[in-house]
Amino acid sequence: QVQFVESGGGLVQPGGSLRLSCAASGRIFRIAGTGWYRQAPGKQRELVAVISSGGSTNYVDSVKGRFTISRDNAENTVYLQMNSLKPEDTAVYYCNTPTRASPWGQGTQVTVSS
């Protein structure tokens, strides 16, 4: 079972950027896809970006062109580069497999506000 630890969140002004990191442990990480999820207050957790073991990526429409997911298999880490941030991107961000098979980590808070 893969376990994830998220980091890199913070407070940023609209239009700013952040880079989130997701450190993974577990032998299957390198053959598993990984997704970044987010949950805003009062809303359901949603999948915003996913990357396969081969590097193929997919994004939810609301972040296309602004967010980029990548992975470093040597470091067992998945990243989410977030540019042109908007207030509606404010949420706790988590990573997990595309099937949500692993226990949820503590997440990392991203707040976009002036």
Side-chain angles (χ1 to χ4, degrees):
Q1 190 178 49
V2 182
Q3 294 185 327
F4 300 98
V5 177
E6 305 89 351
S7 63
L11 173 64
V12 63
Q13 292 187 341
S17 298
L18 280 174
R19 188 193 195 203
L20 306 184
S21 297
C22 171
S25 63
R27 289 182 295 174
I28 69 170
F29 171 74
R30 297 187 183 187
I31 62 172
T34 303
W36 277 99
Y37 298 76
R38 68 185 179 187
Q39 187 167 21
K43 294 188 177 181
Q44 290 188 339
R45 195 168 298 184
E46 65 169 343
L47 178 64
V48 296
V50 62
I51 187 167
S52 72
S53 58
S56 299
T57 59
N58 276 292
Y59 302 89
V60 69
D61 285 348
S62 59
V63 308
K64 282 181 181 177
R66 301 189 297 121
F67 289 11
T68 303
I69 188 171
S70 61
R71 64 189 293 156
D72 183 338
N73 286 339
E75 296 293 329
N76 276 13
T77 302
V78 174
Y79 302 99
L80 187 67
Q81 178 67 44
M82 306 187 296
N83 299 328
S84 301
L85 282 161
K86 304 175 180 180
E88 51 264 42
D89 295 319
T90 295
V92 180
Y93 284 72
Y94 304 86
C95 46
N96 207 320
T97 68
T99 59
R100 309 187 180 198
S102 292
W104 292 101
Q106 82 285 358
T108 187
Q109 175 71 48
V110 172
T111 302
V112 185
S113 175
S114 55

